[in-house]
Amino acid sequence: MTLDPALARLLRTMPKAELHIHIEGSLEPELIFALAERNGVALPYPDVDSLRAAYAFSDLQSFLDIYYAGASVLLVEQDFHDMAWAYLQRAKADNIIRAEIFFDPQTHTARGVPIGYVIDGLTRACDRARDELGIHASLILCFLRHLSEDDALQTLQQALPYRERFIGVGLDSSEVGHPPEKFARVFAQARALGLHLVAHAGEEGPPEYIWSALDVLHAERIDHGVQSVKDPALMARLAAERIPLTVCPLSNIKLCVFDDLRQHNLRDLLDAGLVATVNSDDPAYFGGYLSQNFIETFTALGLDANHAYRLARNSFEASFASPDEKAADIAVLDQHFADAGLPIPA
Ligand code: HPA
Ligand code: ZN
């Protein structure tokens, strides 16, 4: 099945926000090898092709093992800048005008990399993106849920000198067996600091994890959340409270959350009135950046230009931009549709 070329073009060119991208998951094999050479890090793969050949995952954990190995080449400030700058240039090609970017400090501090190198390098790339690409990029610090809450609390303390450099905190890594409530105290501290709160929930884990992300952590957005369809009461709440879901279709296929993109529930989430968005998660590992996620999902599910508008608009509404910034982003979107001669859906 191929997509109408005009719709494919719309999906590529429409202004959009990306709200679920792990910056370490944007490390392409070529950059992994270049950084390994620059830093004298030995990799367990002889070349780019054999590394890429290992990207065949059976579940979240099988991916995370390779993802953390890939991040081992990141050592100095310049590495974090180069990684984020490469992503932001790709974001520009997809007409992403706003990006809220996850980073995993514990993946680096556990190897002895100072958190300042991580945050300085990422911040420098985000500042450059604003000046040179016109992209509003901000950072969300994620805690690794397979580690202890004490480790997360320590990480938040280490990040405090950089409090103005990130807009929120999130929760990622191995989900099942590590429910949100394990991180109640560190999320309470982040909340008291005025940080935004998000959490991965309902990717592989049950709907109960989404409830506790909302009720215990006070998450404002749910990352993934696709398991919510198993719980009608939860669906009703997500719709009524307009709690956004940052859905990542190609990730869900690569990690075997759904067998096939045609079975993905994105259309059901939209039909139920949820503020669903499309995102790339770890694009270097999952076969595509944001526009590719849109194009493959629209092809598989038979979605149309009205869905495209709804998803782009949801991405702006779900962002942590100010009300004025959101209105400006949506005006840019509306103008894009008007210029394309497309009606703006109600
Ligand atoms: N889920 C959980 N943790 C992650 C992911 C994901 O999809 N990507 C990077 N860390
Ligand atoms: Zn994710």
Side-chain angles (χ1 to χ4, degrees):
M1 227 180 1
T2 57
L3 199 60
D4 166 31
L7 180 54
R9 192 178 134 73
L10 176 71
L11 294 172
R12 267 194 222 97
T13 59
M14 69 179 180
K16 45 181 95 67
E18 176 144 65
L19 307 176
H20 185 158
I21 160 83
H22 301 264
I23 201 62
E24 294 89 350
S26 75
L27 256 188
E28 291 286 343
E30 289 75 12
L31 188 52
I32 290 178
F33 271 82
L35 294 178
E37 183 158 15
R38 194 160 91 187
N39 290 330
V41 175
L43 288 169
Y45 300 92
D47 53 42
V48 165
D49 289 340
S50 51
L51 174 57
R52 206 171 247 125
Y55 292 0
F57 312 115
S58 53
D59 57 13
L60 174 58
Q61 193 59 51
S62 64
F63 154 69
L64 290 170
D65 294 341
I66 287 189
Y67 163 82
Y68 294 128
S72 70
V73 300
L74 298 159
L75 289 186
V76 297
E77 189 264 6
Q78 186 73 39
D79 302 337
F80 294 93
H81 165 275
D82 292 354
M83 168 172 65
W85 182 242
Y87 163 69
L88 288 160
Q89 287 174 290
R90 289 179 183 266
K92 178 73 183 172
D94 282 342
N95 206 14
I96 291 169
I97 63 172
R98 186 172 296 283
E100 296 178 356
I101 299 172
F102 296 148
F103 69 109
D104 289 342
Q106 288 154 296
T107 300
H108 315 300
T109 54
R111 296 179 292 113
V113 176
I115 197 168
Y117 289 8
V118 180
I119 296 179
D120 281 346
L122 298 178
T123 304
R124 186 154 65 87
C126 291
D127 289 348
R128 234 183 123 181
R130 203 161 304 131
D131 296 343
E132 297 179 32
L133 306 174
I135 298 175
H136 290 93
S138 44
L139 299 172
I140 294 177
L141 182 160
C142 286
F143 302 115
L144 298 181
R145 69 202 301 160
H146 68 276
L147 301 177
S148 68
E149 188 184 40
D150 281 343
D151 206 303
L153 285 161
Q154 226 176 10
T155 302
L156 184 58
Q157 284 303 315
Q158 289 170 358
L160 284 186
Y162 308 92
R163 164 66 187 86
E164 300 309 317
R165 312 268 206 98
F166 56 101
I167 61 168
V169 300
L171 187 63
D172 64 3
S173 192
S174 320
E175 183 183 10
V176 174
H178 302 284
E181 52 270 31
K182 178 177 164 187
F183 296 91
R185 288 181 303 153
V186 72
F187 269 68
Q189 281 192 15
R191 192 170 181 224
L193 289 164
L195 288 158
H196 286 292
L197 308 174
V198 299
H200 283 54
E203 178 184 15
E204 290 183 340
E208 288 72 26
Y209 284 20
I210 303 176
W211 286 103
S212 59
L214 298 174
D215 292 330
V216 181
L217 301 187
H218 302 284
E220 299 163 77
R221 280 196 311 245
I222 298 295
D223 295 314
H224 293 294
V226 290
Q227 303 301 336
S228 59
V229 295
K230 293 177 176 162
D231 183 339
L234 176 59
M235 291 283 276
R237 177 174 179 190
L238 294 168
E241 296 184 16
R242 297 193 64 73
I243 295 158
L245 301 186
T246 62
V247 177
C248 306
L250 290 179
S251 165
N252 292 154
I253 302 312
K254 287 293 191 294
L255 301 188
C256 307
V257 174
F258 298 92
D259 292 337
D260 187 293
L261 211 40
R262 286 168 298 188
Q263 276 140 36
H264 199 283
N265 60 21
L266 178 67
R267 183 195 279 271
D268 305 322
L269 298 170
L270 290 170
D271 286 349
L274 269 66
V275 186
T277 63
V278 169
N279 304 272
S280 72
D281 207 6
D282 300 281
Y285 292 91
F286 297 152
Y289 287 78
L290 187 49
S291 291
Q292 192 67 24
N293 270 270
F294 273 101
I295 287 169
E296 293 194 30
T297 306
F298 274 58
T299 306
L301 299 181
L303 303 181
D304 61 23
N306 288 340
H307 295 106
Y309 180 83
R310 176 46 54 199
L311 287 163
R313 184 167 172 131
N314 285 352
S315 76
F316 295 127
E317 289 183 355
S319 81
F320 292 132
S322 70
D324 283 354
E325 289 171 325
K326 289 187 189 193
D329 288 348
I330 292 167
V332 173
L333 174 66
D334 287 357
Q335 188 62 52
H336 189 89
F337 271 66
D339 290 346
L342 291 166
I344 291 160

